[in-house]
Amino acid sequence: MVTPQELVLAALEARSFAYTPYSGYSVGAALLTKSGRVYTGCNIESAAFSPTNCAERTAVFKAVSEGEREFDAIAIIGGRAEETGRVAEFASPCGVCRQVLREFDDGGMTVILARSADDFKAYRLEELLPFSFSQENL
């Protein structure tokens, strides 16, 4: 069983691979599947901006591309690092990432927002995306 702290540490490691030459705002994500695997992602910027991809979607797309479609939790850590190496604020997923996560949420996904392995907050995805649009609405 992967602990929240282990998931945050995986997100922190993924953050080190972020490609952010324009904003300097590096984000890492670690996605825990119901099968127990962890998929990581980082944000990747582009000079054209619109092709930029968030860390959360990178992790989801990696998991889905390998056949995983059931997720338990995702840890997200991001922002500009302070001199201590710790990030100053909690980075919450953008609206597009929330909608992509919702596509694979059965109502129980936990979203962990972290500044470090010992400083994090956990939410249910439905708290971050109330009144969401899903397959049931089609």
Side-chain angles (χ1 to χ4, degrees):
M1 177 88 178
V2 177
T3 67
Q5 291 83 3
E6 291 170 326
L7 205 57
V8 170
L9 287 171
L12 185 59
E13 182 179 353
R15 183 175 177 265
S16 70
F17 297 112
Y19 178 73
T20 59
Y22 310 107
S23 73
Y25 193 92
S26 300
V27 181
L31 179 68
L32 175 62
T33 68
K34 291 191 184 286
S35 69
R37 291 189 64 188
V38 174
Y39 291 85
T40 59
C42 63
N43 57 324
I44 304 164
E45 293 181 346
S46 169
F49 293 113
S50 64
T52 295
N53 199 54
C54 298
E56 301 90 328
R57 282 182 282 146
T58 300
V60 168
F61 296 162
K62 284 171 65 176
V64 171
S65 72
E66 294 187 27
E68 298 276 4
R69 288 183 172 78
E70 297 180 343
F71 308 134
D72 273 338
I74 187 166
I76 304 157
I77 185 166
R80 292 181 181 85
E82 297 175 335
E83 288 181 20
T84 62
R86 186 181 191 121
V87 294
E89 299 176 2
F90 294 100
S92 186
C94 74
V96 172
C97 287
R98 291 176 197 211
Q99 186 61 48
V100 168
L101 290 169
R102 174 62 181 97
E103 184 68 23
F104 301 99
D105 182 25
D106 62 5
M109 187 182 300
T110 301
V111 178
I112 301 166
L113 308 181
R115 295 192 309 175
S116 70
D118 60 349
D119 185 8
F120 62 88
K121 299 176 182 183
Y123 301 91
R124 300 310 253 179
L125 178 60
E126 59 194 19
E127 291 178 90
L128 300 179
L129 189 62
F131 308 108
S132 65
F133 185 85
S134 69
Q135 299 163 350
E136 294 83 29
N137 301 107
L138 298 176

